[in-house]
């Protein structure tokens, strides 16, 4: 596959060229961000701005002056004087202080633009600008160089000695309209002094908006495993059976790799040689007589490819990315359409042979950081014969499947117990009420919950974290847009897949 990256030297040179082009043709530039700079960085940026333009998540646009930043128990709030609206769009209802200044919570802002009068810069200032833009280019074009390439906050469990990454929260929710709740099994979490310690960390060039982090102790019989279905329902696993046959899209037998946990990934060169950019994995299992319900179990993760594509599509839009994303952020319909396009282009589905219901289920995004236990539940009462076959299919190179099994056992009753969250952030994170905390790149939330023990012998407790929120990727604002390539990729997913899969 193509790396999609540039060398650091070329990136810096590109930054220098962008600087000179910007200085020569722009006198009063608007600089954009999708509030990436909470805290001192945001305050400093706003203090230098002559004028600030705010795109709110409800679609309204405000132009402001004399903007300052205040922190309260719900997060960051902007205090400002409003410039008479020149956009013709409603600004919605805004809180106003006694001095006549308005207040806007950062969580309600999809995009910020700042502008200040440009004076003649010294070479020292130019050097600083070169450095900043070079770093920005690294962020946009070089995220694929990082080890993860992720676009989701990580969930980390304290195991008594250190924090261990377990999964990624609200994967794929890259705009307010795509906000979602995801559930995560925290197998590595160990009680310390009667408490559980959980961390949500932002390692990417993005701002994460967190509406809820709730921890549950799920009690179940010892030896029973848990997995989440695509609908986020918890499924119990008692008697998993390995496949009797496993064949991929190149007609290769991969059963031994799945049985040993070595994992399966697409053989992309072989697929391209056959003029294909899609792949499949066909799994066949023995079926006990009378089995009417089947749970296909996968221990799997995404590859970094889909995240890289999202980042590149933003980079290709260049200085038009800000207005494009503002439309995405203010329109749930536009956000859903873009998400559906990504799913149609890169997503996978699980299909059961004729007679099973539903006929197909989507494989949910889980991110590339850590594999998760996924379950796909089918009614197979209408299937004939003593075997059961599933076909997994989608874009090549986007999934790594470590293990596969099927379970026909009935569900085991579970006991859920909500664990208390301590600390000042409890009010903002206890319930999904729109009181979001903004988490910028390099920041983390460290949370402490009360621990729980099994209530009866023969039982054990599995901690389950519910995380609700969305993320806003940081946007480029200087490069010229590549409309031709963007339009071609949006029109022809096959062309896009081939671009990323070919060496």
């Amino acid at each position: 596959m193509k790396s999609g990256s540039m060398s650091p030297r070329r990136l810096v040179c590109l930054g220098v060229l962008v600087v000179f082009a910007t200085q020569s043709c722009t006198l009063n530039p608007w600089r954009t961000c999708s509030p990436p700079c909470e805290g001192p960085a945001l305050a400093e940026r706003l203090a230098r701005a002559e004028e600030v333009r705010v795109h709110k998540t409800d679609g309204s646009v405000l132009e402001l002056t004399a903007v300052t930043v205040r922190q309260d128990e719900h997060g960051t709030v902007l205090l400002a004087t409003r410039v008479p609206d020149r956009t013709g769009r409603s600004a919605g209802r805004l809180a106003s202080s006694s001095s006549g200044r308005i207040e806007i919570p950062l969580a309600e802002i999809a995009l910020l633009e700042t502008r200040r009068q440009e004076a003649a810069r010294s070479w020292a200032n130019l050097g600083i600008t070169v450095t900043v833009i070079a770093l920005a280019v690294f962020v946009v074009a070089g995220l694929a160089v990082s080890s993860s390439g992720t676009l989701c906050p990580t969930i980390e469990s304290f195991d008594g000695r250190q924090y261990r990454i377990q999964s990624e929260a609200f994967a794929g929710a890259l705009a307010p309209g795509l906000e979602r709740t995801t559930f995560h099994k925290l197998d590595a979490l160990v009680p310390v002094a009667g408490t559980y310690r959980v961390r949500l960390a932002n390692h990417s060039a993005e701002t994460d908006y967190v509406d809820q982090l709730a921890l549950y102790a799920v009690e179940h019989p010892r030896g029973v495993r848990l997995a989440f279905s695509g609908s986020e329902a918890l499924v119990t696993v008692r008697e998993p059976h390995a496949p009797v046959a496993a064949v991929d899209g190149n007609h290769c037998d991969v059963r031994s790799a799945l049985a040993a946990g070595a994992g399966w990934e697409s053989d992309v060169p072989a697929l391209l040689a056959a003029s294909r950019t899609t792949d499949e994995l066909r799994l066949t299992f023995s079926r006990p007589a009378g089995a009417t319900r089947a749970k296909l179990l996968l221990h799997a993760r995404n590859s970094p490819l889909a995240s890289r594509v999202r980042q590149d599509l933003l980079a290709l839009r260049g200085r038009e990315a800000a207005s494009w994303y503002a439309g995405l952020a203010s329109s749930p319909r536009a956000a859903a359409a873009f998400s559906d396009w990504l799913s149609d282009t890169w997503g996978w589905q699980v299909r059961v042979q004729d007679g099973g219901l539903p006929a197909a289920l989507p494989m949910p995004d889980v991110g590339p950081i850590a594999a998760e236990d996924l379950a796909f539940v089918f009614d197979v009462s209408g299937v004939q014969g003593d075997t059961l076959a599933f076909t997994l299919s989608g874009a090549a190179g986007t999934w790594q499947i470590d293990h596969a099994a099927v379970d026909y056992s009935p569900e085991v009753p579970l006991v859920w117990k909500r664990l208390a969250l301590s600390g000042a952030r409890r009010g903002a994170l206890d319930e999904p009420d729109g009181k979001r905390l903004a988490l910028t790149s390099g920041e983390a939330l460290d949370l402490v919950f009360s621990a729980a023990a099994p209530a009866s012998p023969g039982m054990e407790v599995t901690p389950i974290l519910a995380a609700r929120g969305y993320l806003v990727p940081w946007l480029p604002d200087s490069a010229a847009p590549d409309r031709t390539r963007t339009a071609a990729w949006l029109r022809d997913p096959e062309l896009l897949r081939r671009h990323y899969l070919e060496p």
Side-chain angles (χ1 to χ4, degrees):
M1 297 183 206
K2 293 182 179 180
S3 65
S5 62
M6 300 172 66
S7 70
R9 181 175 297 177
R10 290 184 179 182
L11 288 171
V12 173
C13 290
L14 178 58
V16 173
L17 291 174
V18 170
V19 168
F20 279 105
T22 302
Q23 299 307 309
S24 63
C25 63
T26 308
L27 295 178
N28 294 308
W30 284 97
R31 300 274 182 183
T32 63
C33 67
S34 40
C37 39
E38 188 170 10
L42 177 60
E44 292 171 7
R45 176 172 186 161
L46 295 175
R48 294 194 303 266
E50 179 186 79
E51 194 170 351
V52 176
R53 183 184 294 157
V54 167
H55 299 256
K56 298 186 68 185
T57 55
D58 64 4
S60 59
V61 180
L62 305 176
E63 293 194 2
L64 312 171
T65 60
V67 184
T68 58
V69 178
R70 187 189 74 199
Q71 296 284 338
D72 62 21
E73 65 273 17
H74 301 313
T76 303
V77 176
L78 301 189
L79 302 176
T81 299
R82 185 178 170 193
V83 176
D85 187 20
R86 297 191 291 265
T87 65
R89 285 180 280 186
S90 171
R93 298 181 62 184
L94 298 170
S96 178
S97 67
S98 58
S99 64
R101 286 163 64 77
I102 61 174
E103 300 180 1
I104 310 173
L106 191 66
E108 296 179 5
I109 298 175
L111 193 73
L112 278 172
E113 296 179 277
T114 57
R115 180 173 65 179
R116 63 189 179 101
Q117 294 293 333
E118 302 294 304
R121 289 185 172 88
S122 65
W123 281 105
N125 287 337
L126 182 58
I128 293 173
T129 307
V130 169
T131 303
V132 170
I133 291 186
L135 289 174
V137 175
F138 269 111
V139 167
V140 174
L143 278 175
V145 179
S146 68
S147 59
S148 66
T150 185
L151 269 177
C152 305
T154 59
I155 297 171
E156 305 173 16
S157 296
F158 190 69
D159 66 2
R161 295 189 303 171
Q162 61 184 354
Y163 281 97
R164 291 170 53 186
I165 294 177
Q166 298 231 254
S167 57
E168 297 177 63
F170 35 89
L174 74 165
L178 300 176
E179 184 174 39
R180 59 183 291 222
T181 301
T182 51
F183 292 86
H184 309 269
K185 185 173 58 171
L186 305 186
D187 292 328
L189 195 58
V190 173
V192 177
T195 63
Y196 288 130
R197 293 160 61 183
V198 178
R199 173 177 291 168
L200 186 76
N202 181 347
H203 300 290
S204 302
E206 68 191 37
T207 302
D208 301 322
Y209 292 93
V210 188
D211 197 8
Q212 184 189 36
L213 289 174
L215 189 64
Y216 297 86
V218 179
E219 188 172 333
H220 54 87
R222 188 172 290 117
V224 171
R225 290 168 42 212
L226 305 178
F228 279 102
S229 70
S231 61
E232 303 293 4
L234 201 55
V235 173
T236 59
V237 180
R238 298 190 68 177
E239 301 172 1
H241 300 275
V244 296
V247 179
D248 68 6
N250 293 310
H251 308 290
C252 296
D253 185 350
V254 298
R255 185 172 60 136
S256 59
L258 292 173
W264 169 85
E265 295 181 80
S266 296
D267 184 348
V268 172
L271 290 169
L272 290 175
S275 299
R276 291 182 54 192
T277 62
T278 59
D279 201 1
E280 68 177 32
L281 182 63
R282 184 175 177 84
L283 305 170
T284 304
F285 300 89
S286 58
R287 178 178 175 233
T292 60
R293 187 170 180 267
K295 295 172 275 190
L296 176 65
L297 309 170
L298 302 176
H299 189 63
R301 76 183 78 193
N302 296 114
S303 76
L305 183 58
S307 294
R308 205 175 86 222
V309 171
R310 283 192 287 263
Q311 295 153 5
D312 286 359
L313 285 172
L314 285 172
L316 285 173
R317 294 181 186 274
R319 54 178 168 261
E320 296 176 354
S323 58
W324 174 81
Y325 187 82
L328 203 69
S330 61
S331 170
R333 179 177 295 182
F338 181 66
S339 179
D340 289 344
W341 175 83
L342 283 174
S343 180
D344 291 342
T345 306
W346 297 106
W348 276 58
Q349 286 192 325
V350 179
R351 299 181 182 276
V352 66
Q353 69 184 56
D354 293 343
L357 294 172
L361 290 171
M363 291 179 64
D365 286 335
V366 299
I369 290 293
E372 295 198 25
D373 289 322
L374 304 176
F376 303 86
V377 183
F378 294 90
D379 178 351
V380 294
S381 57
V383 177
Q384 304 296 318
D386 57 2
T387 61
L388 189 62
F390 299 91
T391 301
L392 288 60
S393 60
T398 56
W399 279 91
Q400 175 185 320
I401 299 174
D402 297 334
H403 184 72
V406 73
D407 190 316
Y408 300 101
S409 66
E411 289 301 298
V412 176
L414 303 172
V415 178
W416 290 69
K417 179 183 178 182
R418 176 76 174 267
L419 302 179
L421 170 63
S422 61
R425 293 189 172 101
R426 177 177 177 178
L429 295 176
D430 257 355
E431 301 297 336
D433 53 10
K435 298 177 182 177
R436 300 179 185 88
L437 294 178
L439 195 66
T440 61
S441 183
E443 293 184 329
L445 286 173
D446 287 333
L447 305 174
V448 178
F449 297 87
S450 60
S456 56
M459 305 293 283
E460 62 181 326
V461 166
T462 297
I464 301 290
L465 185 74
R468 181 170 182 79
Y470 66 92
L471 61 92
V472 175
W474 294 5
L475 306 177
D477 66 352
S478 56
D482 188 341
R483 299 187 185 93
T484 301
R485 190 184 302 185
T486 302
W489 285 359
L490 293 174
R491 184 175 59 252
D492 188 351
E494 175 71 16
L495 184 65
L496 173 61
R497 288 193 295 263
R498 185 165 293 279
H499 172 84
Y500 280 93
L501 294 175
E502 287 179 340

